[in-house]
Structure formats: structure tokens, C-alpha cells
């Protein structure tokens, strides 16, 4: 299985901050990388697909980059509704795997 | 509007069986690939497995921890997805989500149900 490692596991930030979350795959996965947002008690929501494409309806302050094994999710000007847990997920192999998540908390 | 509604969760003893259902609406279910994803309490997301559409072979794929114990099936006449879970273990305790697998956006889990909780405990 392809292992996905996110960092940091958690972070504290203030409204208006720029936040960066990284995701590393155990092998090259081209650009087969998706990002999801999950709020407490809710199902995850697709944010970004194919490393950098924004899902319909997702605010443009979210962006993704990377290819190969290293990827980044950036949130520009963090908003109150962005406090959540973010997961990366690879779709390179048929057996999909997620990172362990990054919890973004209010400072 | 795409809707996925899971049911069938509950408390089961180790070694027991449980069948989850997912009622789908708002899209052509028979054409859709579907997946199950689970989340243990306080933990991250884990992909469980998928079933392809019958036109794409109807085949299934499973994550290693559940292979041989779990079976995904579908009834396209009822727009319903199933997850048959046998020989349950305590580590199968989780919220189980039904998801579409690339319905609109290829190679993503693009729509999710609200989840159903499975607790495996003696």
C-alpha cells in the first residue's frame, strides 16, 4: 500500500492567517492526490482534486500544489469556517489511502 | 441532488455479522462506482473498498484489513449499495460512510452519506 504522511498533525492559527499543510507519499503518485475537509460530526467534503484543481463551490482561498511524492494544501486568509481537519488521499493505486489528517484549530 | 443514506449500523459482538445499506438518489446509480470509507472514533479516514458499475465489470476491491471478511454488493434495481461485514473485530468499530467513487470528478470520493456507526464489543 502507498503510505501518506501529513504534517503537521495539528496547528493553531488565527483568522486571516495563511496556513500550509503538507502531504508526502511513500512513492511517486504523479498528481493523483485529493484533499478533503471534515468538520466535527460531519462527513468529509472534497476540496481539491488532481493535486491542484478546485472542486466546484470551494472558495478560491484554498489551493493545492505538488506532484510526484510531495504535495501542499494552502489556505490563504483563514476564515472561521475553515477550522476543521484536512486529509490528503491518493488515487494512484486502486487501493486508496489517506493521510492521518491535520487539525486546524483556532489560536 | 445527490443523496446517500446509510443504515444498518449498531452494536455487534466480536465474530458476529452486520449488513450496512446505502440508499442512493439524485443520480443514475447503475452507472456509478461506489466506495465505503470508515472512521474509527477519534481517528482518521480509512478506505474500505469499492464496487464498479456492472457496465465496467461490477468487480470489487478491498483494503487489506477487511479483505476476506467484508463483501460489497449492489442492487441497481433498488439503487442500493451494501456492505456485508462478517467475522467482526473490535477494530472494525467505526462510522461507515457510503461514497460515490468518481461520479462527477474522476478518481475522487465526491459525494458522501452522513455515516452509520458500527460498534463491535462484547
Amino acid at each position: 500500500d502507498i503510505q501518506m504522511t501529513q504534517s503537521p498533525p495539528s496547528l493553531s492559527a488565527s483568522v486571516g492567517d495563511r496556513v500550509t499543510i503538507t502531504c508526502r507519499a511513500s512513492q511517486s503518485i504523479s498528481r493523483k492526490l485529493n484533499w478533503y475537509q471534515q468538520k466535527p460530526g460531519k462527513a468529509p467534503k472534497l476540496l481539491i482534486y488532481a493535486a491542484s484543481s478546485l472542486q466546484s463551490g470551494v472558495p478560491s482561498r484554498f489551493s493545492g500544489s505538488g506532484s510526484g511524492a510531495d504535495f501542499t494544501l494552502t489556505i490563504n486568509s483563514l476564515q472561521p469556517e475553515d477550522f476543521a481537519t484536512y486529509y490528503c488521499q491518493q488515487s494512484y493505486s486502486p487501493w486508496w489511502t489517506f493521510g492521518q489528517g491535520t487539525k486546524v484549530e483556532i489560536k | 441532488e445527490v443523496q446517500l443514506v446509510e443504515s444498518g449500523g449498531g452494536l455487534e459482538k466480536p465474530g458476529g455479522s452486520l449488513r450496512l445499506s446505502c440508499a442512493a438518489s439524485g443520480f443514475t446509480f447503475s452507472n456509478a462506482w461506489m466506495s465505503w470509507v470508515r472512521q474509527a472514533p477519534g481517528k482518521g479516514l480509512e478506505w474500505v473498498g469499492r464496487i464498479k458499475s456492472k457496465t465496467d465489470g461490477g468487480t470489487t476491491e478491498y483494503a487489506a484489513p477487511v479483505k476476506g471478511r467484508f463483501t460489497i454488493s449492489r442492487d441497481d434495481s433498488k439503487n442500493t449499495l451494501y456492505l456485508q461485514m462478517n467475522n467482526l473485530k473490535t477494530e472494525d468499530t467505526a462510522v461507515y460512510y457510503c461514497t460515490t467513487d468518481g461520479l462527477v470528478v474522476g478518481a475522487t470520493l465526491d459525494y458522501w452519506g452522513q455515516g452509520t456507526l458500527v460498534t463491535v464489543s462484547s
Side-chain angles (χ1 to χ4, degrees):
Chain A
D1 282 1
I2 299 174
Q3 307 301 317
M4 307 300 293
T5 304
Q6 284 181 238
S7 61
S10 65
L11 63 89
S12 294
S14 300
V15 172
D17 283 354
R18 184 184 190 196
V19 166
T20 299
I21 298 168
T22 64
C23 178
R24 174 165 287 178
S26 59
Q27 66 176 74
S28 176
I29 57 170
S30 185
R31 293 176 60 82
K32 302 288 190 181
L33 190 283
N34 306 316
W35 290 97
Y36 300 83
Q37 176 194 64
Q38 186 179 33
K39 297 182 180 179
K42 300 293 186 182
K45 167 188 165 184
L46 177 65
L47 283 183
I48 287 172
Y49 61 94
S52 61
S53 295
L54 206 61
Q55 169 67 330
S56 175
V58 173
S60 59
R61 62 181 179 273
F62 290 92
S63 63
S65 65
S67 65
D70 292 304
F71 301 87
T72 299
L73 172 69
T74 299
I75 311 172
N76 283 304
S77 189
L78 197 68
Q79 296 300 299
E81 60 268 29
D82 301 337
F83 292 95
T85 300
Y86 294 85
Y87 294 91
C88 62
Q89 173 249 322
Q90 64 82 17
S91 58
Y92 182 83
S93 84
W95 300 277
W96 292 357
T97 47
F98 290 88
Q100 79 278 18
T102 295
K103 187 173 184 179
V104 176
E105 297 176 299
I106 301 173
K107 183 183 283 184
Chain B
E1 179 194 4
V2 172
Q3 287 204 343
L4 300 169
V5 180
E6 302 94 336
S7 60
L11 176 63
E12 184 55 66
K13 290 182 169 53
S17 298
L18 211 53
R19 187 177 83 157
L20 306 183
S21 299
C22 171
S25 61
F27 63 101
T28 305
F29 180 75
S30 60
N31 291 344
W33 293 23
M34 302 293 295
S35 275
W36 288 95
V37 174
R38 68 183 181 182
Q39 185 170 36
K43 302 296 184 183
L45 302 169
E46 181 182 27
W47 178 80
V48 171
R50 77 164 54 81
I51 186 166
K52 299 179 181 178
S53 63
K54 286 193 167 55
T55 56
D56 288 320
T59 53
T60 52
E61 287 155 334
Y62 299 96
V66 308
K67 192 171 184 179
R69 298 188 300 122
F70 289 12
T71 302
I72 299 173
S73 62
R74 62 192 301 157
D75 186 337
D76 291 343
S77 68
K78 295 182 178 179
N79 288 347
T80 301
L81 177 72
Y82 300 102
L83 178 65
Q84 177 67 44
M85 304 185 292
N86 296 332
N87 189 21
L88 283 163
K89 304 178 180 182
T90 55
E91 54 263 41
D92 295 321
T93 293
V95 172
Y96 284 74
Y97 295 102
C98 164
T99 78
T100 58
D101 190 322
L103 179 67
V104 175
V105 182
T108 70
L109 300 161
D110 43 1
Y111 292 92
W112 297 63
Q114 84 289 349
T116 187
L117 177 62
V118 171
T119 303
V120 184
S121 174
S122 54

